[in-house]
Amino acid sequence: MSELTTTAPLTATGGPRPGARRRRIAALSAAAAKDAVRNRFALFFNFAFPLVVLLAFEFIYSGQHLPNGQPYSDYVAPGILAYGMANGAIFGVGYTLVQWRASRLLLLLKLTPTSRLEVLLSRYLVALAVSLAQTVVSVAVVSLPPFGFHLSGRWWAAVPVVAAGTAAFFALGCLVSSVAKTPDVVGGIANAALVPMAFFSGVFFPLPAVVGWIHGVSTVLPLRYLSEGLSATLAGTGSWHSVLVCTAVLTGFAVVLLGLAAKALRWR
């Protein structure tokens, strides 16, 4: 905190130097990363829980195919990965901000040159690192011979989808933290929002198998676009146009929600 509480050097125009801003963001990111590593509950829900759910579906539907001929493994793996990624982004930032507010760390940061944007950006970098790690671990496990996930050659295009999807759910987590008073409440709100969203977004079963009105609901849910974007890139089930659309929609969600989150962020 000593580095954060010092007065930032000023440029000739009177603003803080970019180097000082980068140091503050790096210090906050390191603090948030340590919180994420030390929190065993968060580690479980970020990595172990999605894998357990994914492997359960893999064993249940092993060798089965969808009506279009697609292996069920190729369908469900990106969807559950998207669910785990969204859960981790919401819970991670929501838990951290509520905890920092309760310990008055955010109030101390307000007394420094640190801005709201720097606080949010530093925490987003940690959330993005977690999402990328989730993707690597999950894909590595389900690609093993017993499960048979077929990784697409365009897997690298998942990076912008992951970045945009993490930003959208990160912003949603920031909004959750603005109304939650304790860390436990964050998990309750996150589950209340994500579980119905997962069913309406076709994470566990194809959308053509559900009634028509659910299709309309799914078009306004970011989890649908994250799931479809990951499926199009990791499993190769969609066109490049689909990848671009999903990334653009998730970016739009992120911009709108981050704007609301920046205004809703409470220091105390």
Side-chain angles (χ1 to χ4, degrees):
M1 284 300 298
S2 60
E3 185 177 352
L4 294 174
T5 53
T6 56
T7 303
L10 300 180
T11 63
T13 59
R17 291 178 182 174
R21 183 179 296 113
R22 285 194 295 269
R23 287 194 296 271
R24 290 196 298 270
I25 292 174
L28 285 169
S29 299
K34 288 179 180 179
D35 280 347
V37 171
R38 292 170 180 171
N39 190 331
R40 296 180 180 179
F41 185 72
L43 286 176
F44 173 79
F45 277 96
N46 283 334
F47 295 99
F49 179 72
L51 275 178
V52 170
V53 176
L54 181 55
L55 296 182
F57 273 87
E58 292 286 352
F59 280 116
I60 293 172
Y61 295 99
S62 177
Q64 298 190 29
H65 293 72
L66 298 179
N68 62 2
Q70 179 188 7
Y72 192 84
S73 174
D74 290 1
Y75 174 83
V76 75
I80 294 180
L81 174 59
Y83 178 80
M85 194 179 298
N87 186 73
I90 293 178
F91 180 83
V93 67
Y95 180 89
T96 300
L97 290 181
V98 171
Q99 189 180 47
W100 286 6
R101 187 183 299 118
S103 64
R104 297 184 178 272
L105 178 57
L106 282 181
L107 188 58
L108 291 175
L109 289 174
K110 185 181 180 183
L111 303 178
T112 73
T114 307
S115 65
R116 281 186 172 90
L117 180 61
E118 291 168 354
V119 172
L120 296 180
L121 179 58
S122 64
R123 196 57 191 78
Y124 168 72
L125 294 176
V126 176
L128 179 58
V130 170
S131 293
L132 291 173
Q134 285 177 317
T135 304
V136 172
V137 172
S138 297
V139 171
V141 171
V142 297
S143 296
L144 295 174
F147 310 112
F149 176 74
H150 302 90
L151 183 63
S152 168
R154 64 171 72 157
W155 58 267
W156 53 270
V159 174
V161 176
V162 171
T166 300
F169 287 98
F170 168 84
L172 188 56
C174 291
L175 290 175
V176 170
S177 73
S178 67
V179 298
K181 294 184 178 180
T182 64
D184 293 338
V185 176
V186 173
I189 297 177
N191 288 326
L194 277 179
V195 173
M197 193 184 298
F199 283 99
F200 289 157
S201 299
V203 167
F204 304 115
F205 49 81
L207 283 175
V210 301
V211 295
W213 66 269
I214 293 182
H215 284 275
V217 173
S218 69
T219 59
V220 296
L221 300 177
L223 189 57
R224 171 181 175 175
Y225 299 97
L226 179 55
S227 177
E228 290 184 354
L230 292 176
S231 180
T233 53
L234 297 178
T237 58
S239 64
W240 283 109
H241 178 264
S242 175
V243 176
L244 293 175
V245 168
C246 291
T247 305
V249 172
L250 288 170
T251 302
F253 273 111
V255 170
V256 173
L257 293 176
L258 280 173
L260 296 174
K263 293 182 179 180
L265 178 63
R266 294 184 292 110
W267 297 100
R268 67 175 76 213

